[in-house]
Amino acid sequence: MSLQHYLVISSILFSLGIFAVLTRKNAISILMGIELILNSCNLNFVAFSRFVTPAETIVGSEVFRFDGQIIAIFGIVLAAAEAAVFLAIILAIYREFGSIRPDEVDTLKG
Amino acid sequence: MVVPLISIILLAPLASFAIFALLGLAKRNFPRQDYLSTFAMLVALGCSLLLIQEVTSEPTPLTVEWLSLGSVNFSMGFYLDSVTVIMLIVVTLVSSLVHIFSIGYMHGDPRYSRFFAFLSLFSFSMLFLVVSDNLLGIYIGWELVGLCSYLLIGFWFEKDTAANACKKAFLTTRVGDVGMFIGMMMLFAEFRTLSLYGDTGIFEAVATLESGQIAWLSIAGILIFCGAVGKSAQVPLHTWLPDAMEGPTPVSALIHAATMVAAGVYLVARMFPILTPTSSLVIAYVGGITALVAATIAIVRFDIKRVLAYSTISQLGYMMLAIGAGSYVAGLFHLTTHAFFKALLFLGSGSVIHAFHAMHAHHDDAEHTEDAAHEHADNSLVHEHGSEIPPDQDMRNMGGLRRKMPLTFITMLIATLSISGVPFVFSGFWSKDKILGGVLGRAMEWNSVHHYILFAMALIAAGITAFYMFRLIFMTFFGEPRNQEMHDMAHESPWVMVVPLIVLAVLSFPVVNTLWFNKDYIEPPPQHHIPAPQHAYVSPDSKIGDANFGFSLFGVSTAQAAEEDAGPDTAQADDAYHIHHRAHNIAMVLSICVAGLGILLSWLFYHRRRFSAEGVATTFRPVYNLFWNKYYFDEFYDGVLVALTVWKSRLFAKFDLSFIDGIVNGVGKITRDIFAAFIGFFDNRVVDGFVNRVAEVTWAAGGRIRKIQTGAIQTYLFVVLGGIVLIILIFRLF
């Protein structure tokens, strides 16, 4: 398993996420697409951290850096918070418009 | 000492007025304005008397720089010579006495304090005029006395006649003042200064002019004399003075007899050095004609104050005649004596009017139910005589008053004797004789026809003066009462009014002459442009020839002896001396004759009733009408000048309405119909069109561009994604 494999999987995940965000007619599905995009990014962080960042030699032994992994964990936490806010917005939109289809919520249409 | 004394003289009356004015701002009244004003005048009188000893033979102007415009400096200052001092004494003395008289005369007037405040302001203005050393100061004082005259003539402004009279006085004198101002400006344009004295003054500059350059100087002199014509009521601007008698009588005495009207004479005397033969002759003729015209009008007046007014005009003409004929000292001497006896005559007439006036008020109270009948009687009087005379001033209502008002009678008689030129014991004789002698002296000296004519005018006027003044006395004080009812009510005036009369009566004796016969004291200023006569030039006033009468008759023979010792040192001067001596003898004899003749005729006509005045009037109807209608001067002004002005205004109004308005309306029409239409079109089509196009384009563009905003969130996201892809591609490719 080399870096390329991870990046390919990450790209597939990202593309699927974008596809979902752009095409789904349900706000929840869009949220799920966004989660895919976020996770593809997290995967990238971890992969680059594992394969690109050189190991440092500390007190005679090789030690890996975990910067990417830590940022990935931050990303997951962020995604959770984002999901909560997004769901709250969706609830508010539902109350206001009686629908969660983004193409029906077009009050700002020019 | 000179400056503080003059300052006190000026500031005392001014302060009195200022107190009235400042309290007036607070709507308050000084409780005893009459005492305050009188006190201020007495202070000024005291200071004036103190100034006598300050006079020096070579006075210098006391000047401060006042205003500097570029290279031209205007100064303000005092000039103190003997003439100034005498004028100061005359003004303050007459003013003080008039103040005292007014305390009685104006008693109970609703604007009592204001009257005294105005008198104070007038006194200040007149004194300022007298002491000023430059034409600008004189002009300021000149206009101020004009203003005070206006205020005081119109003091009883409820009366239409008074309101009209004060306007007439102000406007008529203004005509002369314009001429005076032009004359001043001519001098200013030539000499770049308005100062009279000193090295840079006008008189010094005039002395250096060549004899060929004096044509304009004559014109300037005549123009300045125009101011005096207005102020001193000379023909043809004399018509305001008789009307000015609408003012309170003390005002007539102070302003319109003794001081302000004499300011014109004073001005001409001040400007004596710039007079040329031409301007002198003009002044003398105007004075002579005035003396004759006014005297003849005075014969037929029945209003006691009008008689005195015309008498004043006539006497002022006399003074002008004297100064125009070169008799500088004689003119100013007559001014002094006239101020006293004419003020006395006016105050005396005021006393008579006061006596009748009190009666009149009483009469109205008692019989106001019969007002209608009373008015009817007044109307018939107006129709009968063609002129409105207040009954308390009408001499036809008087008569026999000498028993009722003995003190008024005696004092007025003294003044009348003085003005008529009754010889030797009355001052008027001396001054009048000095004028006649001066004029005749110059006539004989120059062998000049003009001066003989002037002498004849003066002589005739002197005779007429004696006639009408005694007519006044006979009609007022002698004979039987013509109006018994009014006569019964008449009474002697209170002491506060009689005392000034007595003081002035004393001054009508030759006590004032001492001032004028002091030869070291008075000297006429040199006139550089009066050519030397055939004989050596000796001023008709100079010590020789006239003073000796005055002194010898009062036993002051030493002066005469000293004079003869000094003697004329050339044969020519000797000649002139004899000529003047002879002239004065002739003039004196003639003046005594005409005065005697006048008094005799007056006695025959009005006392003994030997001849009937009405009969004479009927016989010489045209002449009588001429006198009665005052030579038609007023009619002329009304019919010609006023009508011309009205006609001219109408013409201008018509011109304005048709031509100017036509132009304005035409321009308006052109603007509205052509320019406005064009500009409106331009605005509507071009400017608005442009603006509207821009708006339409913007509107249309907005309409298109707003479609971009779909409101669909996914579209936005797609565009964002496309943009990012595009950016990546661009960075990858380039």
Side-chain angles (χ1 to χ4, degrees), chain A residues 21-25 30 102-103 106 109, chain B residues 707-723:
Chain A
V21 167
L22 290 183
T23 56
R24 290 287 92 186
K25 294 296 181 194
I30 291 172
D103 54 344
D106 60 352
K109 184 181 177 192
Chain B
K707 301 291 181 202
I708 294 170
Q709 299 288 328
T710 57
I713 190 159
Q714 284 161 324
T715 320
Y716 300 158
L717 270 174
F718 183 77
V719 172
V720 169
L721 196 70

Side-chain angles (χ1 to χ4, degrees), chain B residues 381-643:
Chain B
L381 196 86
V382 171
H383 288 305
E384 199 176 333
H385 299 289
S387 161
E388 224 168 318
I389 304 174
D392 50 1
Q393 299 183 13
D394 194 334
M395 292 197 292
R396 285 164 301 191
N397 286 334
M398 301 173 185
L401 279 175
R402 70 180 185 282
R403 283 182 300 273
K404 282 275 186 180
M405 314 177 71
L407 286 170
T408 306
F409 163 63
I410 291 168
T411 50
M412 274 188 87
L413 183 64
I414 290 169
T416 306
L417 290 167
S418 188
I419 193 177
S420 306
V422 170
F424 308 137
V425 290
F426 297 103
S427 62
F429 167 75
W430 295 110
S431 54
K432 195 172 278 191
D433 175 60
K434 214 163 155 66
I435 292 175
L436 290 169
V439 178
L440 186 62
R442 177 145 295 192
M444 290 163 78
E445 193 184 349
W446 286 4
N447 207 9
S448 144
V449 181
H450 287 305
H451 290 84
Y452 279 117
I453 295 172
L454 290 169
F455 175 72
M457 283 174 156
L459 201 63
I460 295 166
I464 299 173
T465 304
F467 178 77
Y468 69 71
M469 283 315 297
F470 270 91
R471 170 177 175 269
L472 184 150
I473 289 291
F474 287 137
M475 285 184 81
T476 310
F477 291 105
F478 284 89
E480 291 309 309
R482 294 192 187 77
N483 188 329
Q484 194 61 45
E485 184 192 8
M486 287 176 92
H487 184 79
D488 289 343
M489 297 292 185
H491 55 86
E492 184 59 280
S493 298
W495 279 105
V496 72
M497 291 167 68
V498 173
V499 169
L501 295 180
I502 295 170
V503 176
L504 284 168
V506 171
L507 290 168
S508 297
F509 290 104
V511 285
V512 287
N513 297 17
T514 50
L515 287 174
W516 289 98
F517 281 125
N518 186 342
K519 293 181 297 300
D520 297 329
Y521 201 56
I522 307 289
E523 191 154 347
Q527 277 182 304
H528 298 283
H529 296 295
I530 301 287
Q534 291 147 358
H535 311 286
Y537 177 71
V538 176
S539 160
D541 305 305
S542 62
K543 31 214 94 167
I544 315 160
D546 49 9
N548 33 11
F549 297 127
F551 279 98
S552 58
L553 282 161
F554 288 100
V556 192
S557 51
T558 46
Q560 195 180 358
E563 206 170 77
E564 280 169 3
D565 281 348
D569 44 4
T570 67
Q572 283 183 327
D574 203 33
D575 247 11
Y577 167 82
H578 285 302
I579 282 173
H580 278 283
H581 197 85
R582 209 165 66 236
H584 270 273
N585 283 335
I586 296 169
M588 182 150 79
V589 171
L590 283 176
S591 83
I592 293 171
C593 287
V594 292
L597 189 67
I599 295 168
L600 181 70
L601 280 176
S602 189
W603 184 69
L604 289 175
F605 269 110
Y606 293 101
H607 192 54
R608 295 300 304 274
R609 305 257 159 211
R610 188 64 56 82
F611 309 116
S612 155
E614 288 75 21
V616 176
T618 321
T619 317
F620 299 101
R621 178 55 70 182
V623 180
Y624 176 81
N625 279 344
L626 188 66
F627 294 169
W628 176 251
N629 290 307
K630 302 166 251 176
Y631 290 81
Y632 299 100
F633 268 106
D634 278 321
E635 283 74 8
F636 172 75
Y637 290 148
D638 279 350
V640 178
L641 294 183
V642 175

